[in-house]
């Protein structure tokens, strides 16, 4: 409750809706191995989140009352609030998916070939995570657990992919 409501953060929050699927689509068309890495990290994490939501439904009641005009960003927040209820928030799938897409897309050759794109992606992923808190969609704990889930799955998938690559090359 000490964190302020910052309507301008609706911009990265909305960008999440294209930031996650576009790198997946791009990699599915251009780099099958990188797409496999994305899928191997994303899909088990999403299933785990859905399992948690079923077994332990969660919600946050942090949203401010959006009265009066308030401008474009507040109007966009009203739309988000009307369509994206603050239910099943632990862990934050917005944070998990944004960070996972960033790490799995830019941890290899593409990130090395395009450092500015990798940096921009990292900034956007961080802003998406911050937006969930500044728009009062998630608590800090939801975000931290989404980040932790990302890091654990990224490590596991990286090790499994490295082993399978070694096995494929050795066998």
């Amino acid at each position: 409750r000490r964190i302020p409501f910052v309507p301008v953060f609706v911009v990265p929050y909305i960008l999440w809706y294209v930031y996650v699927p576009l790198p997946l689509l791009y990699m599915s068309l251009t780099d099958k191995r990188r797409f496999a890495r994305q899928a191997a990290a994303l899909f088990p994490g999403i299933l785990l989140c859905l399992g948690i939501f079923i077994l332990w439904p969660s919600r946050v009641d942090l949203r401010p009352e959006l009265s009066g005009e308030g401008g474009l960003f507040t109007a966009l927040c009203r739309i988000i609030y009307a369509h994206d209820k603050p239910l099943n928030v632990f862990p934050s799938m917005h944070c998990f998916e944004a960070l996972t897409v960033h790490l799995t897309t830019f941890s290899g050759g593409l990130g090395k070939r395009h450092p500015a794109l990798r940096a921009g992606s990292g900034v956007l992923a961080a802003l998406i995570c911050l937006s969930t808190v500044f728009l009062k969609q998630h608590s800090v704990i939801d975000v931290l657990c989404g980040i932790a889930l990302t890091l654990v799955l990224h490590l596991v998938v990286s090790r499994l992919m490295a082993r399978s690559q070694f096995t494929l090359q050795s066998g």
Side-chain angles (χ1 to χ4, degrees), residues 35-53:
F35 178 70
R37 180 182 294 269
Q38 289 173 323
L42 274 173
F43 299 150
I46 291 169
L47 288 174
L48 180 62
C49 287
L50 293 174
I52 292 169
F53 299 160

Side-chain angles (χ1 to χ4, degrees), residues 26-27 34 105-115 117-118:
Y26 178 76
M27 289 301 164
R34 182 72 43 195
T105 303
F106 294 100
S107 61
L110 183 65
K112 291 176 183 167
R113 287 191 312 271
H114 303 285
L117 188 57
R118 179 179 59 199

Side-chain angles (χ1 to χ4, degrees), residues 90-92 95 133 139-151:
F90 177 85
S92 170
C95 294
V133 175
S139 71
V140 173
I141 291 171
D142 303 334
V143 171
L144 292 175
C145 288
I147 293 168
L149 178 59
T150 298
L151 296 176

Side-chain angles (χ1 to χ4, degrees), residues 6-117:
V6 185
V8 72
F9 272 89
V10 74
V11 174
Y13 192 87
I14 291 170
L15 287 175
W16 172 84
Y17 289 98
V18 294
Y19 177 72
V20 171
L22 285 183
L24 291 167
L25 178 62
Y26 178 76
M27 289 301 164
S28 74
L29 298 172
T30 63
D31 187 342
K32 301 296 185 203
R33 184 148 175 78
R34 182 72 43 195
F35 178 70
R37 180 182 294 269
Q38 289 173 323
L42 274 173
F43 299 150
I46 291 169
L47 288 174
L48 180 62
C49 287
L50 293 174
I52 292 169
F53 299 160
I54 290 167
L55 296 173
W56 186 31
S58 57
R59 68 175 291 135
V60 292
D61 291 315
L62 302 171
R63 292 176 168 182
E65 187 68 35
L66 299 179
S67 56
E69 285 289 317
L72 174 64
F73 299 130
T74 302
L76 290 171
C77 287
R78 282 191 188 99
I79 293 169
I80 293 295
Y81 282 8
H83 294 90
D84 191 358
K85 302 295 181 195
L87 304 171
N88 295 321
V89 294
F90 177 85
S92 170
M93 283 181 64
H94 277 80
C95 294
F96 165 71
E97 290 178 3
L99 290 174
T100 298
V101 163
H102 171 71
L103 290 174
T104 59
T105 303
F106 294 100
S107 61
L110 183 65
K112 291 176 183 167
R113 287 191 312 271
H114 303 285
L117 188 57

